[in-house]
Amino acid sequence: INRENLQWLIEKSGQPFEYDMVVIDELSSFKNHQAKRFKALMKERHRVKRIVGLTGTPSSNGLMDLFAEFKILDMGVRLGRFIGQYRNTYFKPDKVNGPIVYSYKPLPGAEDAIYEKISDISMKAADHLKMPELVNTKYMVHLSEKEKKKYEDMKAELVLELPEGEITAANAASLSGKLSQMANGAVYADDESILPIHDRKLDALEDIIESANGKPLLIAYWFKHDLIRIEQRLAEKKIPFQKLDSDASMKKWNRGELPVALIHPASAGHGLNLQSGGSTLVWFGITWSLELYQQTNARLWRQGQQSETVVIQHIVTKGTVDEKILKALTEKDKAQTALMSAVRAELEER
């Protein structure tokens, strides 16, 4: 049953919840201990003799996610029965306003302690399945002095538009989004028109495709104008391609009929199998979302991949926010924390 109907099954279907075993695909969708689906399942959890949770991103938003996921698995044996108990044991307040706590950060050694607690019931696919080697590479592109000035001028203008005082998540996300667009080569104006800045990433992508010599490439883009510009360049160079946005296009990719396929990380999420069509993923535009980043990479780097090596290639514009995003992802930093830090760094540079 899909997770959206789980509450209906338990509370309204009239069917007794009598199952010896429950398998939860994408356990991370139960990370909110206040969600209706979580509460409904916990009402009947004591009836289930065996339960298995599957996920590649158990803590994409931080260690706090693990509480609800593991409470479903062991009813609170390892990480505690109550969220307050879990917070007090492993975390301390981070952002506060008087008595109001907006966020928490792990205490020193908390991560190791938590993983030790759950080590007997958590397994990594790479430890138990034969997985291909994963190779991460960077293709650095460099702006000309004229292009760099255009980027810096626009960055300065955006920074000056920010209100005085502490950077909030909202304006940090807005500024970071604009900087990411510029690093990719274009930016949306106020009237939604596309302002070109450079073609360095398009040139790099063309070079990567040529070097692949017919080997299928999966290309991840982030902004809509990335897609438009990539499609225009591929069409100009008469390079066959298709956007993966339907079952038919994905089947075509998996049959090896597409030399180049384009995909957005938000549509490349849980459960999508693309490993039959190729073993190289190129990130044209990089996302701050660790979960989307990991999930997209896992479309190729997964069981069933026939190639011995999966290559994840990142096109990175030197001297831009690209480098900060990739560093945060590499260090498995949490998106909002890393984003805020990066934006503060941009402001300090001024």
Side-chain angles (χ1 to χ4, degrees):
I1 192 167
N2 64 43
R3 60 183 71 91
E4 288 74 20
N5 281 346
L6 181 60
Q7 184 187 7
W8 166 84
L9 175 67
I10 293 170
E11 298 178 356
K12 298 180 181 178
S13 70
Q15 298 295 318
F17 197 80
E18 296 175 350
Y19 303 99
D20 292 329
M21 181 171 180
V22 171
V23 179
I24 303 175
D25 192 18
E26 294 310 334
L27 180 64
S28 58
S29 62
F30 285 79
K31 63 190 175 188
N32 183 355
H33 69 283
Q34 296 178 317
K36 291 178 180 177
R37 70 178 68 143
F38 173 84
K39 291 179 178 179
L41 183 54
M42 285 309 299
K43 286 179 188 175
E44 302 294 335
R45 172 64 184 87
H46 64 283
R47 298 178 182 272
V48 181
K49 295 176 183 176
R50 179 181 290 269
I51 190 162
V52 176
L54 310 172
T55 179
T57 53
S59 58
S60 61
N61 293 316
L63 295 170
M64 202 68 79
D65 288 352
L66 295 177
F67 169 77
E69 295 169 18
F70 278 86
K71 186 172 181 182
I72 283 180
L73 295 182
D74 67 5
M75 294 191 285
V77 171
R78 289 163 181 79
L79 299 182
R81 293 177 56 211
F82 305 103
I83 185 67
Q85 174 189 354
Y86 180 62
R87 279 196 197 116
N88 293 336
T89 304
Y90 300 107
F91 301 86
K92 64 180 179 180
D94 183 17
K95 297 190 184 306
V96 298
N97 183 6
I100 302 172
V101 180
Y102 292 107
S103 64
Y104 292 83
K105 62 182 179 182
L107 290 164
E111 186 170 4
D112 289 341
I114 290 169
Y115 288 150
E116 177 64 28
K117 285 274 188 184
I118 62 178
S119 61
D120 62 321
I121 60 167
S122 62
M123 299 180 290
K124 291 182 179 179
D127 294 338
H128 299 273
L129 303 173
K130 188 180 179 188
M131 298 285 282
E133 181 186 4
L134 182 65
V135 177
N136 283 283
T137 67
K138 286 190 288 188
Y139 188 119
M140 300 298 296
V141 300
H142 302 268
L143 303 180
S144 67
E145 288 303 317
K146 187 176 178 181
E147 292 162 348
K148 198 180 296 182
K149 185 176 187 308
K150 196 182 289 189
Y151 176 89
E152 291 297 330
D153 287 348
M154 293 195 76
K155 182 173 83 171
E157 191 176 322
L158 288 166
V159 169
L160 291 173
E161 284 179 3
L162 291 175
E164 293 296 325
E166 186 174 354
I167 303 304
T168 66
N171 59 35
S174 175
L175 174 59
S176 174
K178 291 290 187 183
L179 296 179
S180 294
Q181 290 180 53
M182 291 181 230
N184 290 358
V187 67
Y188 285 117
D190 292 339
D191 62 359
E192 295 300 308
S193 61
I194 300 170
L195 304 177
I197 293 181
H198 64 84
D199 287 339
R200 299 297 175 176
K201 285 199 175 186
L202 291 172
D203 295 341
L205 183 60
E206 188 181 331
D207 186 43
I208 290 169
I209 293 171
E210 187 177 333
S211 300
N213 202 24
K215 187 178 179 182
L217 295 180
L218 185 61
I219 300 167
Y221 66 92
W222 188 246
F223 300 103
K224 195 175 289 185
H225 60 60
D226 291 343
L227 175 64
I228 293 169
R229 294 168 61 243
I230 291 169
E231 288 181 333
Q232 287 176 343
R233 176 62 72 95
L234 295 178
E236 285 170 10
K237 298 299 178 180
K238 296 182 171 51
I239 298 171
F241 68 92
Q242 192 163 347
K243 182 183 172 187
L244 299 187
D245 56 1
S246 66
D247 286 343
S249 61
M250 291 177 195
K251 286 177 182 175
K252 200 171 178 183
W253 162 263
N254 277 325
R255 289 196 299 265
E257 297 172 7
L258 294 177
V260 175
L262 309 175
I263 195 162
H264 192 281
S267 63
H270 307 313
L272 197 61
N273 296 308
L274 299 175
Q275 70 272 25
S276 298
S279 58
T280 302
L281 171 63
V282 180
W283 283 90
F284 182 88
I286 313 169
T287 171
W288 278 106
S289 171
L290 179 63
E291 181 170 12
L292 288 180
Y293 176 74
Q294 291 177 331
Q295 287 286 351
T296 303
N297 291 344
R299 296 317 100 208
L300 299 186
W301 189 62
R302 62 195 295 115
Q303 193 179 18
Q305 172 60 253
Q306 296 303 304
S307 175
E308 293 182 0
T309 305
V310 169
V311 177
I312 309 294
Q313 192 155 27
H314 312 81
I315 305 178
V316 178
T317 305
K318 180 75 174 172
T320 70
V321 72
D322 271 0
E323 294 179 295
K324 294 182 173 69
I325 299 174
L326 192 57
K327 183 173 184 286
L329 293 172
T330 303
E331 295 175 354
K332 292 185 169 54
D333 212 338
K334 305 306 168 278
Q336 185 161 301
T337 304
L339 187 155
M340 298 280 278
S341 300
V343 169
R344 286 200 181 92
E346 294 286 354
L347 292 175
E348 287 165 6
E349 286 174 11
R350 307 216 58 78

